[in-house]
Amino acid sequence: MVGDEQEQIVPEPKPSGAEVREDGVRPDPEGGSSDGGGGNQGEGLAGGSRQAIRNAEGEDPEKEAASHFINYVAARVGAKPSVMKAVWAAIVQEAPAYLLEEQRSINMGFVELTAIPYRENWKQIMHAKFPKLVPSLKKVPREMADAYLFNVGWDAELLNSELCEFHRNGSHYGWAIEAHEKRQWQLISYEYERKQRESLGAARYASRWIKVVRKAARRILKYFLNYVAKTSIPCAAVRDGGNKRGNYLVPHTPKGKVRPTAPQNFVVHAVNDPQEGEIKSSEGATLSGPTKKVPPVPFISSDPKDLWKR
């Protein structure tokens, strides 16, 4: 059946990570304190004397982080840092062009990077529209999977302009980079955490999780702010320009957002709206805005123009 090929992870290989402190938390190369709370804890977002000094001296934190990684790899594999730096610079320079022009994935062994012309929260939108697709798909024979996806409307929704990130200048759509975890990462991280649990014990292992989260707090906030900013970019809508111009895309913020057949009774928005985007309580939750149920077997035209007019 479709989806049954995923095996239960039973890790074998040993992780290649470096040794960690007694409490299981690595020293923070970005200046984190020994308690994992970050070197600038309590100083607010604008705090951080060490970071401020680095910026004042004209150092690029991103380049510094890249140099730290290059030196780490060079020391681990016995390579020259200068050679590693040249190779890494070439990869960083050409990777975006490869993703966009070749439209192929970059397999890094532990993670696979793919660029798709969707908005940042496309998976949440599709999950809201197809909350039971995955468990249903697992019961479908592999040879019938394509027909099943077509019949439930999956193929049609892939062309829904609400999945598109279209910039306000009205000239182009955006791309999202998807990072798919590979089995190598699952094996290494599973084995690494298993050893940490065995060496630290239950109580200290729980404390370690808190320290790891505290050390990553600034990066977590950065990623969250970026997610909110990206999901605030409008969707696209199709306009009919007639026979001469044809169909074209324009920025559009849909009312009613995603049709909320969402799991756990909360509303998922195609475009971020702070006033309407609060998560609803699972108890006594109500759906707000106009709703439209996805029919189980809708009629789907084979012409994309007709799909856009639905």
Side-chain angles (χ1 to χ4, degrees):
M1 298 298 176
V2 178
D4 293 340
E5 63 276 5
Q6 293 184 349
E7 302 176 0
Q8 186 69 26
I9 297 175
V10 181
E12 293 292 342
K14 297 181 180 180
S16 59
E19 296 296 326
V20 295
R21 295 203 318 254
E22 184 180 358
D23 58 4
V25 181
R26 295 180 185 275
D28 189 355
E30 298 181 4
S33 62
S34 60
D35 64 356
N40 306 317
Q41 186 174 358
E43 299 183 11
L45 290 176
S49 57
R50 184 172 176 180
Q51 184 70 35
I53 293 174
R54 282 206 301 254
N55 292 340
E57 293 175 351
E59 297 182 17
D60 189 337
E62 293 187 0
K63 289 184 178 180
E64 182 179 352
S67 298
H68 184 276
F69 173 68
I70 293 169
N71 293 332
Y72 173 86
V73 174
R76 298 278 293 182
V77 303
K80 293 183 179 180
S82 58
V83 176
M84 296 291 298
K85 184 177 181 180
V87 174
W88 180 256
I91 293 175
V92 171
Q93 175 180 309
E94 300 301 330
Y98 181 83
L99 291 171
L100 293 173
E101 294 179 359
E102 299 294 328
Q103 296 183 14
R104 299 181 64 177
S105 300
I106 297 177
N107 188 349
M108 302 184 68
F110 69 98
V111 68
E112 184 178 83
L113 302 179
T114 305
I116 55 175
Y118 277 173
R119 57 189 303 102
E120 186 75 10
N121 58 334
W122 71 271
K123 291 189 291 291
Q124 289 87 340
I125 297 173
M126 294 297 278
H127 190 202
K129 294 182 178 182
F130 300 95
K132 299 181 180 179
L133 177 67
V134 174
S136 300
L137 196 59
K138 289 182 178 181
K139 301 176 183 179
V140 177
R142 185 181 301 274
E143 60 273 11
M144 297 180 62
D146 291 341
Y148 176 81
L149 291 172
F150 180 87
N151 287 332
V152 299
W154 175 264
D155 291 358
E157 286 297 332
L158 292 180
L159 298 176
N160 192 326
S161 60
E162 285 187 1
L163 297 176
C164 180
E165 171 189 290
F166 208 78
H167 292 265
R168 290 183 174 88
N169 60 14
S171 62
H172 64 90
Y173 53 80
W175 291 75
I177 295 181
E178 292 296 320
H180 171 65
E181 295 178 3
K182 304 288 285 187
R183 183 174 176 80
Q184 179 186 357
W185 169 257
Q186 297 172 348
L187 290 170
I188 292 176
S189 61
Y190 185 101
E191 180 67 10
Y192 177 80
E193 290 302 323
R194 185 187 65 80
K195 289 188 174 182
Q196 292 298 322
R197 173 64 172 78
E198 289 180 353
S199 62
L200 297 175
R204 293 175 64 197
Y205 185 72
S207 299
R208 174 182 176 273
W209 181 82
I210 297 174
K211 293 177 182 179
V212 171
V213 172
R214 283 177 175 172
K215 191 174 75 169
R218 290 182 178 273
R219 281 170 286 173
I220 293 172
L221 177 60
K222 179 180 71 173
Y223 301 148
F224 175 73
L225 294 177
N226 181 70
Y227 176 85
V228 172
K230 290 278 286 180
T231 55
S232 299
I233 299 175
C235 297
V238 179
R239 295 291 181 264
D240 188 356
N243 294 331
K244 292 184 178 180
R245 187 171 183 181
N247 293 332
Y248 60 97
L249 297 174
V250 296
H252 172 62
T253 301
K255 295 182 179 180
K257 314 303 179 181
V258 175
R259 323 305 177 239
T261 53
Q264 301 177 6
N265 292 328
F266 61 81
V267 179
V268 178
H269 298 274
V271 177
N272 181 60
D273 187 339
Q275 296 181 352
E276 300 180 10
E278 296 85 7
I279 295 179
K280 308 296 181 181
S281 172
S282 57
E283 299 180 359
T286 58
L287 299 178
S288 59
T291 63
K292 177 182 176 182
K293 293 183 178 179
V294 179
V297 186
F299 172 77
I300 306 171
S301 172
S302 60
D303 186 355
K305 295 182 179 180
D306 294 335
L307 291 175
W308 287 335
K309 293 178 182 179
R310 287 191 306 125

